[in-house]
């Protein structure tokens, strides 16, 4: 079965620091997509970044970047220059068979 | 541009009453549509997904059902709500490269 594991239930950092959220997954597929979603207190689910497995280059979106290690099945999210508005739940997800397989989430708190 | 609308935002219903949550998508055709439930502080549980009109796949046996009467309309229903149906319900559609776009959610409280 395909699974997604986020081993950090909660993290907190000071504003302007860099933080890395971990995600590992298990699959036998070779071509797939990976995602990070953010869910702020409003509970709106927002796509942060996506990575195609066939691309070796790590995806970046402004202050957000990933470290995609296909052989290790690891997909971590790095947030640089963290801001108060980054406080949210972060979910890692893997796309397979018309569905997203979700991790349990990491609660990230940015402290002023 | 593609948008997704979900309503109502908040709902308080008595046990045993019916439920109807609606989700519509604009700006795309034949989208894959999804209903999720999320307990407080937890991850998302897939309830139903649909790849076309009248095509519904259920992931979790429960007190809920889903229908897709039109290409861009997805409805979540129940004939008789249970206390355990309380939660936050999210509708989503799968766009390019399988990234999902979510509705704003419905907070359902069964009392």
């Amino acid at each position: 079965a395909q699974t997604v594991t986020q081993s950090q239930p909660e993290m907190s950092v000071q504003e302007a620091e860099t933080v890395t959220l971990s995600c590992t997954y298990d699959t036998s597929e070779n071509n797939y997509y990976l995602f990070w979603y953010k869910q702020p207190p409003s509970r709106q689910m927002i796509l942060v970044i996506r990575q195609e497995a066939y691309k070796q280059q790590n995806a970046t979106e402004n202050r957000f970047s990933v470290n995609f290690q296909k052989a290790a099945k690891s997909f971590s999210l790095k947030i640089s220059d963290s801001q108060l508005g980054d406080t949210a739940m972060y979910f890692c997800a893997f796309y397979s068979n018309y569905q997203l397989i979700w991790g349990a989430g990491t609660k990230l708190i940015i402290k002023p | 541009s593609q948008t997704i609308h979900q309503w109502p935002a908040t709902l308080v219903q008595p046990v045993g009453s019916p439920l109807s949550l609606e989700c519509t998508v604009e700006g795309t055709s034949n989208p894959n549509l999804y209903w999720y439930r999320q307990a407080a502080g937890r991850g998302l549980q897939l309830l139903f997904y649909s790849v076309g009109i009248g095509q519904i796949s259920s992931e979790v046996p429960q007190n809920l059902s889903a229908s897709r009467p039109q290409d861009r309309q997805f409805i979540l229903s129940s004939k008789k709500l249970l206390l355990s149906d309380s939660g936050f319900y999210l509708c989503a559609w799968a766009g390019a490269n399988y990234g999902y776009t979510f509705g704003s959610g419905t907070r359902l409280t069964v009392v």
Side-chain angles (χ1 to χ4, degrees):
Chain A
Q2 291 153 334
T3 58
V4 176
T5 302
Q6 294 179 249
S7 58
Q8 305 149 311
E10 184 169 327
M11 299 182 70
S12 65
V13 297
Q14 294 293 135
E15 190 177 9
E17 290 184 346
T18 294
V19 59
T20 298
L21 308 183
S22 301
C23 174
T24 59
Y25 58 94
D26 187 25
T27 182
S28 58
E29 297 181 12
N30 192 46
N31 295 317
Y32 48 87
Y33 293 84
L34 293 160
F35 304 86
W36 278 98
Y37 281 85
K38 166 185 177 180
Q39 189 178 38
S42 67
R43 302 194 79 172
Q44 176 72 53
M45 194 69 77
I46 302 165
L47 177 63
V48 175
I49 200 165
R50 72 162 60 90
Q51 173 79 43
E52 292 90 340
Y54 62 87
K55 290 187 177 179
Q56 292 185 335
Q57 185 174 6
N58 289 323
T60 62
E61 286 287 342
N62 300 314
R63 298 182 295 107
F64 299 87
S65 61
V66 299
N67 182 5
F68 174 48
Q69 302 290 327
K70 190 173 184 180
K73 296 180 181 175
S74 172
F75 182 60
S76 60
L77 174 70
K78 185 173 82 171
I79 305 174
S80 303
D81 186 26
S82 57
Q83 301 174 0
L84 296 178
D86 295 332
T87 292
M89 283 289 289
Y90 286 81
F91 293 96
C92 177
F94 166 95
Y95 184 84
S96 173
N97 293 330
Y98 301 108
Q99 302 179 30
L100 279 180
I101 312 298
W102 296 84
T106 296
K107 183 178 182 179
L108 176 64
I109 300 170
I110 309 299
K111 297 180 288 186
Chain B
S1 64
Q2 300 94 350
T3 56
I4 181 167
H5 303 280
Q6 182 181 345
W7 68 92
T10 304
L11 194 58
V12 180
Q13 292 285 96
V15 170
S17 63
L19 173 73
S20 180
L21 303 181
E22 189 162 343
C23 174
T24 59
V25 180
E26 296 178 358
T28 186
S29 58
N30 198 31
N32 290 345
L33 297 171
Y34 304 82
W35 278 111
Y36 285 91
R37 178 167 60 198
Q38 184 182 31
R42 304 289 294 276
L44 279 75
Q45 178 189 35
L46 178 64
L47 302 176
F48 302 95
Y49 71 93
S50 172
V51 300
I53 295 174
Q55 299 179 63
I56 308 295
S57 296
S58 174
E59 290 299 305
V60 181
Q62 58 210 327
N63 186 41
L64 302 170
S65 62
S67 62
R68 186 168 177 176
Q70 300 180 43
D71 181 43
R72 287 169 286 181
Q73 183 184 30
F74 203 25
I75 298 171
L76 182 69
S77 303
S78 174
K79 292 182 179 178
K80 290 184 178 181
L81 284 168
L82 306 172
L83 287 174
S84 58
D85 292 325
S86 293
F88 189 66
Y89 290 82
L90 283 161
C91 178
W93 74 280
N97 292 333
Y98 311 108
Y100 284 20
T101 299
F102 286 83
S104 53
T106 297
R107 191 181 310 272
L108 172 66
T109 303
V110 182
V111 296

